[in-house]
Amino acid sequence: LVIVSGMSGAGRTEAMHVFEDLGYFCIDNLPPDLIDDLLAMPDFSASTDGSRKLAVVCDARGRGFFASMNNVLRELDTDGVSSRIVFLDADDDKLIARYKSSRRRHPLCNDGATISQGIERERALLRELRLHADYVIDTTNLLPAELRNKLKDLFGDGAVREGLSVSVYSFGFKHGAPLD
């Protein structure tokens, strides 16, 4: 189990794409209380080698649900569930710039607060989780490809994919251009 959390705008979506590519069953915006129920399911994600790999994003978007995160982490530890926490962070200025360029509202700014105030609220909410994180990755100066490589180094099986994958499509304009 990998729990991905961190600041909004720090790269959680990109991280989930990496985990999907690594063969993890991924769920975004999962309320922490549902993690235990998910793990109790008989076969949520058995891979070809029989291992179960799950990555979930739990973050401040869950608001009231997120308050139980620390209790859930203690229960997982008590139950002997192998889990790691990845916390993605970035400088406030960079987060603000990312929000401005995406033109999306910060999830904690529903009451007319500024992006800076939303970031401040989120930092306060995530402070304890950040302290418990196994990996804190600062994405301030990372390109998405660099974040992908860092996560692959941490969670990949070490197998290097050799070779080039080529797809060849044959079509005729008589039937129109191919859709993809």
Side-chain angles (χ1 to χ4, degrees), residues 147-167:
L147 175 60
R148 283 192 297 272
N149 290 335
K150 187 173 279 243
L151 291 171
K152 285 178 183 177
D153 289 343
L154 291 171
F155 296 96
D157 59 7
V160 178
R161 191 171 162 187
E162 296 288 332
L164 175 66
S165 176
V166 177
S167 298

Side-chain angles (χ1 to χ4, degrees), residues 42-155:
D43 190 25
F44 67 83
S45 168
S47 64
T48 54
D49 64 359
S51 64
R52 295 173 7 147
K53 299 189 302 186
L54 173 67
V56 298
V57 172
C58 295
D59 54 43
R61 290 176 291 175
R63 291 180 182 81
F65 291 117
F66 191 76
S68 64
M69 186 68 184
N70 293 318
N71 294 333
V72 170
L73 292 173
R74 279 191 289 278
E75 288 174 20
L76 290 173
D77 196 35
T78 302
D79 294 342
V81 174
S82 173
S83 66
R84 291 182 277 177
I85 301 171
V86 175
F87 190 93
L88 301 175
D89 201 353
D91 291 342
D92 289 0
D93 293 339
K94 189 67 162 184
L95 293 173
I96 291 169
R98 289 175 183 170
Y99 267 99
K100 285 183 176 180
S101 70
S102 71
R103 297 181 183 196
R104 292 184 52 87
R105 185 177 62 223
H106 190 281
L108 299 182
C109 290
N110 290 336
D111 59 355
T114 64
I115 296 171
S116 296
Q117 291 169 324
I119 291 171
E120 185 178 325
R121 292 172 183 173
E122 188 175 28
R123 284 205 188 281
L125 186 65
L126 298 174
R127 184 169 289 120
E128 191 171 343
L129 181 61
R130 188 179 198 280
L131 294 173
H132 293 295
D134 297 291
Y135 306 101
V136 176
I137 300 174
D138 185 348
T139 65
T140 303
N141 297 312
L142 287 181
L143 295 171
E146 293 171 322
L147 175 60
R148 283 192 297 272
N149 290 335
K150 187 173 279 243
L151 291 171
K152 285 178 183 177
D153 289 343
L154 291 171
F155 296 96

Side-chain angles (χ1 to χ4, degrees), residues 19-60:
F19 284 109
E20 286 175 352
D21 292 345
L22 292 173
Y24 282 73
F25 182 78
C26 298
I27 300 176
D28 192 9
N29 201 15
L30 183 72
D33 288 332
L34 296 179
I35 292 174
D36 207 27
D37 294 336
L38 184 64
L39 293 173
M41 292 175 69
D43 190 25
F44 67 83
S45 168
S47 64
T48 54
D49 64 359
S51 64
R52 295 173 7 147
K53 299 189 302 186
L54 173 67
V56 298
V57 172
C58 295
D59 54 43

